[in-house]
Amino acid sequence: MPTPPTDLHTFPRPSVAVDIAVCSVVPDIDGEMHLAVLVHRRETRTETGRWSLPGSFVREYERLADAVDRTLRDKAGVEGLHPRQLLVLDDPKRDPRGWVLSVAHVDTVPMSDAIALIGGTDVAWAPVVVGDAPAGALDLPGRHRSLPFDHEVIVTEAVADLRRRYAERPDPAGLLAEPFTVLELRRVHEAVAGERLQKDTFRRAMLPGLRETSGPVSGSVGRPARRYRRA
Amino acid sequence: MPTPPTDLHTFPRPSVAVDIAVCSVVPDIDGEMHLAVLVHRRETRTETGRWSLPGSFVREYERLADAVDRTLRDKAGVEGLHPRQLLVLDDPKRDPRGWVLSVAHVDTVPMSDAIALIGGTDVAWAPVVVGDAPAGALDLPGRHRSLPFDHEVIVTEAVADLRRRYAERPDPAGLLAEPFTVLELRRVHEAVAGERLQKDTFRRAMLPGLRETSGPVSGSVGRPARRYRRA
DNA sequence: AGAATAGTGTCTATAAGACACTATTCC
DNA sequence: GGAATAGTGTCTTATAGACACTATTCT
């Protein structure tokens, strides 16, 4: 809390927006799973036609998490997520229209909803580029190479946040529907991490955070895998 | 970046403030060092007389880090710090005067400046309560028991941030003047961690992040200690 | 039986913790 | 020499990685 002025309204106030890196794990043509970020094609004056992260201005007395939920509902028809704050973007020149602060968030959608979510051609999943690409680089549709504004900073932080959390615990963001097998879990973690993980080490690291389910085991071929839920 | 409205000014805008947990390590009566947070006595209408964290409203087109610097210069005469963003406090009811978002920060002042910084009776170092106290509890002057608003959340995050960073590297915030001995460094780390650290393990963990200085070694008694700088 | 996938025993390399020893100074 | 503090050798314990083996299913 600041030292209050005699009147709040004597202070200039910035516009405040939320920008969101919505993440999920989606398959490519070959069935390989990849961490991807939701981008949409800009239809408005600034940077029209480029792909960017969804965002919107915060309404009066609205909580930031609610602004995130509302934005995703309106722009992508997604519900019931768990946004996490990443950082505030405060460069006074970041928006040509004026003084706009943006609170960047990361959020996730379950893999089962990810594909259905892409309705038209104005929304897409852009895989995170793995390897030694520039930080925050996405594999955008068409021949687009980069995100506008400071959105690459947001992607960088979002990916770092997810990787940190997934290194600790099994599927903390709930990308995978329960119950699941350790193999399914590992595929998701590999997609997030952007690298292969060892099957035995991975299993032992994750087991303390899992509860075995007694439910029936399905198996196409080979020994049927046990199924688990998050503990 | 959000979908732009036709005009920025059609959107309601919140007041935006910065609140700062300024941290340092200060000695108590017995010479023991403790992690402490700078608090000041409120002089204004809301919560008058209570101790709280310094903060102020952000000026037009001002960067948040600059608002932090300005606030600390004005309220405590501190210069040249390195604020880090912690989180945005966005409860619409957090300030009775209206819609105020606050961006919480953590910052540090070198130990050598910490004592001189306390000028009058309206500013004080409040040691972080160690042990199983409520999260974010401070040992405030007088008989005050708690911080107003959501300041305890800020202290909790500030302390967690510092402890995380100090567990990794030697004195990342530069609390200690260079050059220093490993013993001096360990005392600072113990104050931040709120617990004793083992001398041999600590030395081995920190050495990779230190550069030995060839400068003259002072010693009152016992084998003179080597002196180091941060690498 | 053989293929395929799941799960585990175990060896090794590495790091953390703890203890005790050696080293260097001042008196 | 003795007190005091600095720094290190090394043993123990825990953990991560790797490899190979065993287990359970389907065809």
Side-chain angles (χ1 to χ4, degrees):
Chain A
M1 264 304 307
T3 301
T6 42
D7 181 2
L8 270 190
H9 297 68
T10 62
F11 280 82
R13 299 188 301 279
S15 301
V16 175
V18 290
D19 285 322
I20 311 136
V22 183
C23 298
S24 195
V25 167
V26 297
D28 64 11
I29 303 282
D30 305 327
E32 291 266 327
M33 305 303 272
H34 298 278
L35 179 60
V37 179
L38 191 74
V39 292
H40 79 126
R41 204 190 284 277
R42 299 184 66 81
E43 293 159 354
T44 44
R45 281 196 297 237
T46 46
E47 301 286 353
T48 310
R50 290 184 71 181
W51 295 96
S52 76
L53 303 184
S56 84
F57 284 95
V58 176
R59 297 193 177 158
E60 192 159 18
Y61 290 105
E62 186 179 38
R63 298 216 60 151
L64 296 173
D66 294 334
V68 171
D69 283 352
R70 170 177 58 76
T71 305
L72 296 184
R73 203 163 42 239
D74 292 354
K75 298 210 175 173
V78 197
E79 297 259 7
L81 307 180
H82 306 288
R84 294 164 53 87
Q85 264 185 33
L86 290 175
L87 77 165
V88 180
L89 301 162
D90 69 332
D91 185 338
K93 293 193 288 284
R94 64 182 291 279
D95 192 308
R97 291 165 296 169
W99 188 24
V100 180
L101 297 183
S102 172
V103 186
H105 290 76
V106 59
D107 210 334
T108 46
V109 294
M111 294 163 59
S112 54
D113 302 350
I115 301 302
L117 186 151
I118 304 297
T121 57
D122 55 333
V123 179
W125 288 108
V128 170
V129 176
V130 51
D132 35 29
L138 296 183
D139 188 1
L140 294 169
R143 68 192 181 295
H144 291 88
R145 302 295 315 175
S146 65
L147 293 172
F149 308 106
D150 37 25
H151 285 186
E152 271 152 16
V153 174
I154 302 177
V155 171
T156 302
E157 293 298 318
V159 170
D161 181 79
L162 277 178
R163 288 188 176 158
R164 215 178 300 122
R165 293 163 60 210
Y166 270 76
E168 293 291 321
R169 275 211 313 289
D171 193 25
L175 288 168
L176 197 54
E178 296 180 317
F180 47 76
T181 68
V182 173
L183 176 59
E184 289 163 345
L185 182 68
R186 179 155 54 90
R187 293 281 175 253
V188 173
H189 279 248
E190 286 175 340
V192 170
E195 63 183 14
R196 287 293 181 186
L197 302 174
Q198 199 132 336
K199 89 166 185 174
D200 45 7
T201 304
F202 178 79
R203 158 178 281 272
R204 280 188 261 250
M206 291 298 150
L207 266 187
L210 296 175
R211 266 195 7 250
E212 189 169 347
T213 290
S214 52
V217 288
S218 85
S220 59
V221 57
R223 173 173 170 177
R226 300 182 194 161
R227 299 185 165 277
Y228 297 88
R229 298 178 182 278
R230 291 175 279 275
Chain B
M1 263 305 305
T3 301
T6 41
D7 182 2
L8 269 190
H9 297 64
T10 62
F11 279 81
R13 301 187 298 280
S15 302
V16 174
V18 290
D19 285 322
I20 311 137
V22 183
C23 298
S24 195
V25 167
V26 297
D28 65 11
I29 303 282
D30 305 328
E32 291 266 327
M33 305 304 271
H34 299 277
L35 179 60
V37 179
L38 191 73
V39 292
H40 79 126
R41 203 190 285 275
R42 299 184 68 81
E43 292 159 355
T44 43
R45 281 197 297 237
T46 47
E47 301 285 355
T48 310
R50 291 184 71 180
W51 295 96
S52 75
L53 302 184
S56 84
F57 284 95
V58 176
R59 296 191 178 159
E60 192 158 17
Y61 290 105
E62 186 179 39
R63 298 217 58 150
L64 296 173
D66 294 335
V68 170
D69 283 351
R70 171 177 55 77
T71 305
L72 296 184
R73 202 162 42 238
D74 292 354
K75 298 210 175 174
V78 197
E79 297 259 8
L81 307 179
H82 307 288
R84 294 165 53 88
Q85 264 184 32
L86 291 175
L87 78 165
V88 181
L89 302 162
D90 67 335
D91 185 340
K93 294 192 288 284
R94 64 181 291 279
D95 193 309
R97 292 165 296 168
W99 187 25
V100 180
L101 296 183
S102 173
V103 185
H105 290 76
V106 59
D107 210 335
T108 46
V109 293
M111 294 163 60
S112 53
D113 302 348
I115 301 302
L117 185 151
I118 305 297
T121 56
D122 56 333
V123 179
W125 288 109
V128 170
V129 176
V130 50
D132 34 29
L138 296 183
D139 188 1
L140 294 169
R143 67 191 183 295
H144 291 88
R145 302 294 317 174
S146 66
L147 294 172
F149 308 106
D150 37 26
H151 286 187
E152 271 153 15
V153 174
I154 302 178
V155 171
T156 302
E157 293 299 317
V159 170
D161 182 77
L162 277 178
R163 287 188 176 158
R164 215 177 302 123
R165 293 164 59 209
Y166 271 74
E168 295 290 321
R169 275 211 312 289
D171 193 24
L175 289 167
L176 197 55
E178 296 180 316
F180 48 76
T181 68
V182 173
L183 176 60
E184 289 163 345
L185 181 67
R186 179 154 54 91
R187 292 281 176 254
V188 173
H189 279 247
E190 287 174 340
V192 170
E195 63 183 15
R196 286 293 180 186
L197 301 174
Q198 200 132 334
K199 90 167 184 174
D200 45 8
T201 304
F202 178 80
R203 159 180 282 274
R204 280 189 261 249
M206 292 298 150
L207 266 188
L210 296 175
R211 264 195 9 249
E212 189 168 347
T213 291
S214 53
V217 287
S218 85
S220 59
V221 57
R223 173 173 170 176
R226 299 181 195 160
R227 299 185 164 276
Y228 297 88
R229 298 178 182 276
R230 291 175 280 273

